[in-house]
Amino acid sequence: MAAPKVAVVGAGVIGLSTALCIAETCPSCSVTVLSDQFSPNTTSDVAAGMLIPHTYPGTPIHVQKQWFKETFAYLFAISNSAEASEAGIHLVSGWQVFKNTPKEELPFWSDVVLGFRPMSEAELQKFPQHRFGQAFTTLKCDCPPYLLWLEKRLKAIGVQMYTRKVADLWELHSEYNVVVNCAGIGAHQLVGDEKLFPIRGQVLKVQAPWVKNFIRDGDGLTYIYPGIHRVTLGGTREKESWSLSPDPSATKDIFDRCCSLEPSLRGAQDIKVKVGLRPSRQRVRLQREVLSQGGVKLPVVHNYGHGAGGFSVHRGTAKEAAHLVGECLAALQGASSRAKL
């Protein structure tokens, strides 16, 4: 069989990472990324890129933990390299605070991040409305530089990237041996996934270089995440809203909530508003499927539906998707060997 051709549909953090893992684990493959949008116009460009996992109710915890561990280890290695600044990856310490003590004082990921511990009474004095908190150090990706860094890595190993709107995965069957669907919220239309829905997120990106520590309210709705150049303030979680237009009342609400956690933000400059649609479902769709029409078969691997937690698990799910692509290719190889007999 000639070098198998794999198409990855989607160029957000999931699509680019999956393409990279496929190219790394299957060097004999020819890998192509197809997307109607590349950075800076993807949902991933809006994301804060903090490694604090979101929980997927439909996925076993040990699987989620494995995805997070692999992602953390991968980004930690980059943060300790000369590429850290270009890739936009850095360590950041801070606090997750709660108005009431949570049922789970030790989240499943507490031993993956660095130095996880309960906050001291003295630290809690900074947050008079909160009664309990956790302190730890985690990683943050500044998303646009990270996506550009991934694109550069892909080009360096010969992966092709084309701007193309794919309306139906079947349209790729004559050009590619395996198709990988990393279309994010686009999968709602692309594969008609009714279990996938948008959770609209509006965030502010501000200049506040004095803010060095992250602060996250335990409900996950209000957060302050310092990046290399800008601080991300969030946020909103609006289920089933498809609007990409900024909402001025939400901007004011986000700003006021963040200032109540960190009053010094009242002096923030140059406020930019960003909106993205998180591709949400009960569980990440990570599976193989074979499409067939008139006796012709097209192996497909799906990797989408990461909701608010894509950055925290992107490398782990990309590795699993690459493994599934390997299984598809082995099955094709077996079929072509049998055909020759």
Side-chain angles (χ1 to χ4, degrees):
M1 171 174 178
K5 291 183 167 180
V6 179
V8 176
V9 179
V13 71
I14 302 299
L16 297 179
S17 308
T18 301
L20 188 58
C21 284
I22 295 165
E24 288 169 351
T25 55
C26 174
S28 63
C29 276
S30 142
V31 181
T32 304
V33 176
L34 305 172
S35 183
D36 59 339
Q37 298 289 356
F38 283 82
S39 184
N41 301 315
T42 73
T43 300
S44 298
D45 284 283
V46 179
M50 277 292 280
L51 267 71
I52 299 177
H54 161 91
T55 305
Y56 303 102
T59 304
I61 288 293
H62 72 273
V63 173
Q64 298 183 52
K65 183 167 182 177
Q66 184 61 27
W67 291 343
F68 181 57
K69 271 175 87 160
E70 285 174 354
T71 306
F72 196 93
Y74 178 71
L75 293 178
F76 188 60
I78 299 169
S79 78
N80 280 329
S81 77
E83 311 229 335
S85 159
E86 188 191 346
I89 296 168
H90 56 109
L91 287 164
V92 57
S93 302
W95 305 283
Q96 176 162 260
V97 292
F98 298 83
K99 293 195 170 70
N100 297 299
T101 307
K103 288 199 296 285
E104 221 185 12
E105 289 190 36
L106 272 184
F108 72 83
W109 44 267
S110 60
D111 60 343
V112 180
V113 296
L114 310 178
F116 188 96
R117 60 177 176 79
M119 279 166 70
S120 67
E121 287 301 319
E123 284 171 299
L124 275 168
Q125 283 174 10
K126 181 170 166 57
F127 307 102
Q129 282 96 45
H130 295 77
R131 299 176 41 193
F132 177 82
Q134 299 152 337
F136 55 95
T137 298
T138 187
L139 288 152
K140 181 175 182 318
C141 287
D142 280 22
C143 305
Y146 183 58
L147 295 174
L148 292 175
W149 180 83
L150 285 172
E151 286 184 19
K152 186 174 154 185
R153 292 282 308 272
L154 289 167
K155 285 175 186 151
I157 55 176
V159 172
Q160 303 287 314
M161 282 176 266
Y162 298 110
T163 302
R164 173 172 168 182
K165 170 89 176 146
V166 178
D168 181 346
L169 295 178
W170 190 255
E171 73 188 53
L172 303 173
H173 86 276
S174 58
E175 299 167 70
Y176 298 97
N177 303 98
V178 179
V179 172
V180 187
N181 168 20
C182 300
I185 198 65
H188 190 272
Q189 214 171 357
L190 182 62
V191 294
D193 185 345
E194 294 298 323
K195 293 181 181 158
L196 182 71
F197 56 92
I199 295 186
R200 181 184 180 279
Q202 181 165 318
V203 298
L204 316 181
K205 308 262 181 179
V206 307
Q207 291 278 358
W210 60 88
V211 176
K212 304 292 187 203
N213 296 88
F214 75 81
I215 304 169
R216 180 179 194 266
D217 197 302
D219 64 11
L221 201 57
T222 306
Y223 49 84
I224 299 162
Y225 294 151
I228 295 170
H229 301 296
R230 303 182 79 85
V231 182
T232 301
L233 309 183
T236 65
R237 283 195 178 165
E238 297 155 78
K239 214 170 160 174
E240 303 284 359
S241 168
W242 289 88
S243 167
L244 284 167
S245 305
D247 171 355
S249 65
T251 297
K252 182 182 182 321
D253 179 51
I254 292 166
F255 191 68
D256 290 345
R257 279 188 278 130
C258 289
C259 289
S260 76
L261 283 176
E262 180 53 73
S264 72
L265 282 168
R266 289 273 170 216
Q269 302 285 313
D270 188 23
I271 298 170
K272 290 187 166 54
V273 184
K274 302 275 184 185
V275 178
L277 304 179
R278 306 177 182 103
S280 304
R281 48 199 320 282
Q282 283 292 98
R283 60 188 302 164
V284 175
R285 187 174 185 200
L286 195 47
Q287 67 185 138
R288 282 170 63 186
E289 181 183 22
V290 177
L291 304 180
S292 67
Q293 279 187 22
V296 181
K297 290 184 166 49
L298 175 66
V300 171
V301 171
H302 299 283
N303 183 18
Y304 68 86
H306 297 69
F311 266 91
S312 294
V313 296
H314 71 272
R315 178 73 183 187
T317 60
K319 278 178 76 170
E320 193 170 319
H323 178 74
L324 294 175
V325 169
E327 289 179 2
C328 293
L329 294 170
L332 288 172
Q333 196 85 42
S336 74
S337 307
R338 284 194 297 279
K340 288 189 187 111
L341 296 172

